[in-house]
Amino acid sequence: MTDTISIAVICGSLRQGSFNAAIAREFSTLAPTGISFRPLDGMESIPHYNADIQSQGCPAIVRDWAEIIRSSDAVVFVTPEYNYSIPGVLKNALDWLSRLSPPPFSGKPVAIQTASVGMLGGARAQYHLRQVLLYLDAFVLNKPEIMIADAASKISAQGELTDETTRRLIAEQLAALQGLIQRVAAS
Ligand SMILES: Cc1cc2nc3c(=O)[nH]c(=O)nc-3n(C[C@H](O)[C@H](O)[C@H](O)COP(=O)(O)O)c2cc1C
């Protein structure tokens, strides 16, 4: 595999000590060779979606994110579950991105990971995110699903993902995403 695959990464947590952000930082050590990751930073500065703001022009950060997504081969979401759904900041970012043309997610391979301190690992948020991505016309990878339960026991105080089973699953999902990228490109 040549070094040509780039994957944008969207983390749904703004928290400095975020377990989800810690997992995202591990991707380059777990992915097949030849993949680079592009974290989409600055979600905290995206304003609440408001059509009046949009009519004056989309915020620069939203346009920047859209361009990074369009020019990436795929997107990985790694997000907590809030109240059985996706965090509001993530939904807000997606609402903004949905207003841009050309649509950044259309035909884009996407993988989803959730990490939570709870025992279901954010499973319920996954299906809400899938529903939104359906409207955005993304191609969401089905398997393997990654729902990291009891995240506090799997990530060290230094932010290292220490759980070997989770590391292997993430490596498998990133390899599967690489396969989806190739299938979409060939279709
Ligand atoms: C507003 C709020 C709602 C939450 N709701 C859920 C939930 O529905 N399910 C769950 O498993 N954990 C829930 N949690 C706990 C999160 O799993 C936990 O805070 C996790 O560490 C957040 O991810 P992060 O470490 O990446 O910030 C909630 C936390 C907050 C702050």
Side-chain angles (χ1 to χ4, degrees):
M1 174 59 55
T2 52
D3 192 16
T4 53
I5 291 183
S6 73
I7 298 181
V9 179
I10 299 179
C11 175
S13 176
L14 302 181
R15 196 168 74 86
Q16 198 159 21
S18 163
F19 296 127
N20 286 276
I23 289 161
R25 287 194 295 272
E26 300 271 6
F27 287 168
S28 53
T29 70
L30 299 171
T33 52
I35 297 181
S36 61
F37 292 92
R38 308 164 83 184
L40 295 186
D41 297 321
M43 190 160 67
E44 66 282 355
S45 66
I46 299 178
H48 293 157
Y49 178 77
N50 180 334
D52 297 333
I53 299 177
Q54 189 197 339
S55 67
Q56 293 157 29
C58 247
I61 180 151
V62 177
R63 286 186 273 114
D64 290 348
W65 276 35
E67 198 40 52
I68 292 171
I69 293 166
R70 286 187 201 107
S71 62
S72 296
D73 297 291
V75 179
V76 177
F77 287 88
V78 53
T79 180
E81 173 177 274
Y82 281 178
N83 299 309
Y84 292 6
S85 186
I86 61 174
V89 286
L90 177 56
K91 180 62 163 57
N92 183 58
L94 292 172
D95 289 343
W96 271 112
L97 289 163
S98 73
R99 308 304 293 167
L100 291 183
S101 186
F105 284 100
S106 186
K108 190 69 63 180
V110 168
I112 297 173
Q113 302 179 13
T114 50
S116 139
V117 296
M119 293 317 293
L120 293 184
R124 292 158 292 215
Q126 295 227 350
Y127 295 103
H128 281 192
L129 183 52
R130 277 182 180 271
Q131 182 175 324
V132 176
L133 289 167
L134 177 67
Y135 184 73
L136 300 186
D137 201 22
F139 291 160
V140 183
L141 184 73
N142 288 327
K143 290 182 179 174
E145 294 180 305
I146 296 194
M147 296 145 178
I148 303 166
D150 193 17
S153 74
K154 295 172 180 165
I155 294 157
S156 73
Q158 291 72 39
E160 289 160 339
L161 179 60
T162 52
D163 185 68
E164 282 308 320
T165 305
T166 306
R167 294 183 70 85
R168 183 175 41 77
L169 248 183
I170 292 174
E172 285 172 14
Q173 194 201 57
L174 294 173
L177 181 60
Q178 184 185 40
L180 179 62
I181 292 167
Q182 289 161 351
R183 288 201 301 282
V184 169
S187 64

